[in-house]
Amino acid sequence: MRLAEAWRVALDALRANRMRSGLTMLGMVIGVAAVVVLVALGTGTKETVEAQVEGLGSNLLIVVPGQVNFSSAPTLSRMDNSDLEAMVKVVGDRDRITASLTSGENVRAGSNTAFTTVNGVMESTPKVFLRDLGTGIYLSRTDVDTGRRVAVLGSLVAQRLFGERDAVGQQVTIAGVRFRVVGVFAPLGQSLGVDRDNEVHIPITTAQRLFGTGRVDAFAVKAPDRETIDQLGDQMLAELRRRHPDTEFSAVTQEQILGVLGDILGILTTVLAAIAGISLLVGGVGVSNIMLVSVRERTREIGLRKAVGARPRDIGLQFLLEAVLLTSVGGLAGMGLGVAASLLTAALTPVPATITWWSMALAFGVSAGVGIIFGVVPAQRAGRLDPVVALRTD
Amino acid sequence: MIEAEDVTRSYELDGVTVAALRGVSLNIRQGDYVAIIGPSGSGKSTLMHLLGALDRPTTGRLLIDGKDVTALSAPEMAKLRNETIGFVFQSFHLLPRTSAVDNVALPLVYRGLGARDRRRHAAATLERVGLGHRLGHRPNQMSGGEQQRVAIARALVTSPKVLLADEPTGNLDSATGVAVLDLLERLNTDDNVALVLVTHDRDVAARAHRQIAMRDGVIVQ
């Protein structure tokens, strides 16, 4: 029997039992749709997080005391301004390095108060990180060198304290000390769960005086190119370890952050897809069941086909194709539903969705494969039916 | 055409061996018109299954169109049925929801013929059995006599050497039954195809040129 003919016969058989075929397919539709949606949401989340990390700037290197992992507490920094000078020397360009001293503080203007992250930083910060100003100017080198009480507000802080009014030139009180606002950042949104519009930048020297410490918490460096990042990191770590013999330091690159986050989110996506895959399996069992019923119902037809010359494999092929047709049409519909549901989720909720060609190909391949795997047993049973017995059945 | 020599066929039924045929020898030659007659349980259906290559004998020798059936594989038997035998059943065994012309064309599907050739052959064969005006009708839109004529056309479409008809008039009223028998006999004469009727109806059997009476798995006459 020709393959095209076998397809036609299989299609006819499914059409003859529309309701049953439809319900059987529904299992596949839901399974495939679930795989497509969950993979789309997982991938979308991963891409968003990666974009946020990359959005910090390119070729970034963060140097902090202690080890960067989840199982140990952050190390209290023992670095100070002399370390900062040493690091500037290692990097060789003051525009490529910034330091930070961070504390959560109340910022007040008139009767409005906002609790925000106050970052003591260097004037080079916008050159290291990608950060656009909305209005005003950023901190200057003189501000840092002389410890001026000037501040650049995140857009959310400015909005909370001054509403729609222009904050530039206004006074704010940070931890009880008055500052003059020189600039307001352009809105940036969230990055890794941190609202980056809810922060205030002041000169690091001013911050040290304000918080009563000479400490520097961390350094951030923008390497000239990708190749020099690791080398630069090693040089900085070596210098810091020489200056603080018993202290641990770590240099973290964006790639490392991306690697860790990517791994976690990748596992998450895989687990979600696997859970959705179970529903595909259940759908497959349904297909198998219906095919067995179909074989039994059409025993006489099988007997007749054999009597007029169908070989066992002709009959087997017919039923196998029927199963594959059920699952792959179901798979196609599931892909459509999955894409629609993903787009709808992305449109109506903050959860991002990225539809990948591989998840579609996988879902379709698996659904066709499920048809083959779960169709084989019924098909073999049909192919092996004794024509004498089959013809006698009523 | 068909040579059976001391053919037996026994079944295992719930651990008990039942002998349906206990040694049957017969010859069917080209153009023969033979009736196999006997009460139910006499083994005539079993014999017909063997003659139609639907089944293999337990012992004995059975040649169909020169081929030893006991030595054939399932696909080879399917090919033999397709090329040599035409079956007509008491209950027609037409595919539902399928037009007359597609029902008739079914054996040609397993010959690998293209759809256009199949339809052409099937339509011509339906014309021969007087159903040229019913090509697109489905079984449930036709009378019993018409359905049996479609089944006969299906048996005939492959130009078989033997037509095996199992109670072909069993589900028809007597007038229609006679018309169906007339048709089968005309094909027997015109095409020189061997016609084997299996029946328990003595009037039907009487029309054949040769009668083989069976009882308890053996030929009694």
Side-chain angles (χ1 to χ4, degrees):
Chain A
M1 181 161 60
R2 295 180 180 190
L3 204 58
E5 182 63 25
W7 278 115
R8 199 189 58 73
V9 172
L11 201 62
D12 281 351
L14 295 186
R15 272 208 214 109
N17 275 304
R18 263 167 237 238
M19 184 75 173
R20 191 166 81 188
S21 306
L23 285 173
T24 311
M25 270 182 210
L26 196 59
M28 297 308 298
V29 171
I30 292 169
V32 170
V35 170
V36 170
V37 169
L38 290 177
V39 170
L41 298 185
T43 310
T45 305
K46 188 172 170 212
E47 283 182 356
T48 306
V49 169
E50 286 173 352
Q52 284 173 354
V53 172
E54 279 160 2
L56 292 171
S58 53
N59 302 334
L60 274 181
L61 182 68
I62 313 284
V63 177
V64 292
Q67 285 193 348
V68 183
N69 59 38
F70 294 115
S71 55
S72 52
T75 304
L76 184 68
S77 176
R78 298 181 192 100
M79 302 186 291
D80 58 19
N81 288 346
S82 65
D83 294 300
L84 172 55
E85 277 163 33
M87 288 303 105
V88 171
K89 236 177 238 160
V90 171
V91 174
D93 184 350
R94 195 182 155 109
D95 280 349
R96 290 192 172 279
I97 180 168
T98 183
S100 69
L101 172 60
T102 306
S103 179
E105 299 292 341
N106 272 326
V107 179
R108 199 156 51 76
S111 57
N112 296 331
T113 305
F115 184 77
T116 82
T117 303
V118 173
N119 274 326
V121 293
M122 291 167 62
E123 78 286 352
S124 52
T125 301
K127 291 173 183 144
V128 176
F129 295 103
L130 291 175
R131 202 75 215 256
D132 289 332
L133 277 177
T135 54
I137 54 167
Y138 195 69
L139 309 173
S140 70
R141 177 157 186 180
T142 318
D143 292 335
V144 175
D145 285 348
T146 61
R148 278 188 189 142
R149 296 199 303 273
V150 287
V152 179
L153 306 185
S155 59
L156 183 71
V157 180
Q159 199 258 322
R160 280 206 188 136
L161 296 181
F162 300 103
E164 297 305 306
R165 281 187 298 145
D166 186 6
V168 176
Q170 305 284 338
Q171 301 273 342
V172 294
T173 306
I174 301 174
V177 178
R178 276 151 66 108
F179 281 72
R180 182 167 54 87
V181 177
V182 294
V184 176
F185 286 120
L188 198 63
Q190 292 222 335
S191 181
L192 305 179
V194 178
D195 190 343
R196 299 188 64 211
D197 294 325
N198 186 22
E199 61 180 23
V200 173
H201 286 199
I202 61 175
I204 188 167
T205 45
T206 317
Q208 285 166 340
R209 195 148 27 97
L210 185 67
F211 303 144
T213 175
R215 221 169 68 213
V216 174
D217 281 341
F219 297 106
V221 177
K222 183 182 178 68
D225 49 57
R226 200 167 270 268
E227 286 69 39
T228 50
I229 296 179
D230 289 336
Q231 191 197 343
L232 201 56
D234 290 344
Q235 287 172 355
M236 291 173 73
L237 288 182
E239 177 65 10
L240 284 170
R241 282 175 189 144
R242 193 184 63 74
R243 297 170 60 86
H244 304 272
D246 284 324
T247 310
E248 183 72 26
F249 293 95
S250 303
V252 186
T253 64
Q254 273 166 300
E255 275 176 23
Q256 286 167 330
I257 299 173
L258 279 178
V260 172
L261 290 172
D263 284 353
I264 294 171
L265 292 168
I267 290 167
L268 190 74
T269 305
T270 310
V271 168
L272 287 176
I275 291 170
I278 292 172
S279 60
L280 266 182
L281 210 65
V282 174
V285 173
V287 169
S288 205
N289 199 9
I290 284 300
M291 290 311 298
L292 285 172
V293 170
S294 181
V295 169
R296 173 154 297 189
E297 269 184 3
R298 281 149 64 197
T299 304
R300 274 159 54 103
E301 177 191 328
I302 294 166
L304 172 79
R305 285 178 183 273
K306 287 198 156 186
V308 300
R311 291 164 298 173
R313 47 175 281 217
D314 293 324
I315 300 294
L317 184 69
Q318 178 190 332
F319 280 90
L320 191 60
L321 285 181
E322 208 174 304
V324 171
L325 204 62
L326 261 180
T327 57
S328 49
V329 171
L332 277 177
M335 278 160 68
L337 185 68
V339 169
S342 304
L343 295 177
L344 206 66
T345 309
L348 299 182
T349 71
V351 184
T354 303
I355 291 147
T356 52
W357 66 266
W358 67 263
S359 74
M360 308 277 280
L362 183 79
F364 184 71
V366 166
S367 54
V370 161
I372 293 174
I373 292 165
F374 289 94
V376 158
V377 170
Q380 279 182 342
R381 182 169 289 196
R384 286 182 192 150
L385 269 180
D386 182 351
V388 171
V389 176
L391 281 168
R392 209 185 286 141
T393 309
D394 286 313
Chain B
M1 194 62 44
I2 301 180
E3 292 172 51
E5 211 180 291
D6 200 20
V7 164
T8 71
R9 181 71 174 98
S10 45
Y11 302 96
E12 289 278 325
L13 252 180
D14 298 328
V16 183
T17 307
V18 179
L21 284 185
R22 303 159 184 268
V24 170
S25 300
L26 62 84
N27 263 315
I28 290 164
R29 283 170 291 270
Q30 195 173 11
D32 268 2
Y33 181 8
V34 180
I36 299 174
I37 190 162
S40 58
S42 62
K44 60 186 196 301
S45 287
T46 305
L47 180 59
M48 197 207 74
H49 292 145
L50 289 173
L51 298 180
L54 286 167
D55 199 4
R56 294 189 189 88
T58 310
T59 65
R61 218 164 73 95
L62 177 61
L63 293 182
I64 298 175
D65 201 20
K67 295 187 182 76
D68 184 356
V69 171
T70 43
L72 295 181
S73 67
E76 285 167 339
M77 282 176 75
K79 188 165 187 278
L80 181 63
R81 291 194 291 271
N82 184 262
E83 290 174 349
T84 314
I85 315 284
F87 289 97
V88 178
F89 303 96
Q90 177 176 5
S91 51
F92 321 141
H93 278 310
L94 297 176
L95 297 184
R97 298 179 298 273
T98 306
S99 66
V101 71
D102 283 338
N103 260 297
V104 173
L106 187 65
L108 301 176
V109 166
Y110 299 107
R111 271 200 186 178
L113 228 61
R116 188 174 299 196
D117 289 340
R118 290 202 304 261
R119 290 204 167 206
R120 197 161 45 79
H121 275 100
T125 312
L126 276 169
E127 195 80 49
R128 279 195 68 192
V129 300
L131 288 177
H133 58 299
R134 287 274 193 267
L135 299 185
H137 282 57
R138 299 192 179 152
N140 59 2
Q141 297 167 324
M142 289 186 283
S143 70
E146 284 176 325
Q147 289 186 54
Q148 192 58 302
R149 280 194 281 165
V150 172
I152 291 168
R154 182 181 61 199
L156 207 60
V157 76
T158 55
S159 310
K161 296 180 173 146
V162 182
L163 274 180
L164 286 176
D166 185 5
E167 304 279 10
T169 58
N171 278 9
L172 304 173
D173 62 64
S174 55
T176 317
V178 167
V180 163
L181 285 175
D182 286 344
L183 173 62
L184 286 170
E185 286 163 8
R186 204 174 71 231
L187 298 169
N188 170 242
T189 322
D190 293 357
D191 293 16
N192 206 24
V193 53
L195 175 58
V196 178
L197 287 181
V198 175
T199 183
H200 62 266
D201 185 333
R202 297 214 157 265
D203 293 340
V204 171
R207 296 172 61 132
H209 302 152
R210 179 150 62 106
Q211 288 190 34
I212 296 172
M214 294 197 65
R215 183 175 292 273
D216 298 332
V218 290
I219 296 173
V220 291
Q221 175 208 324

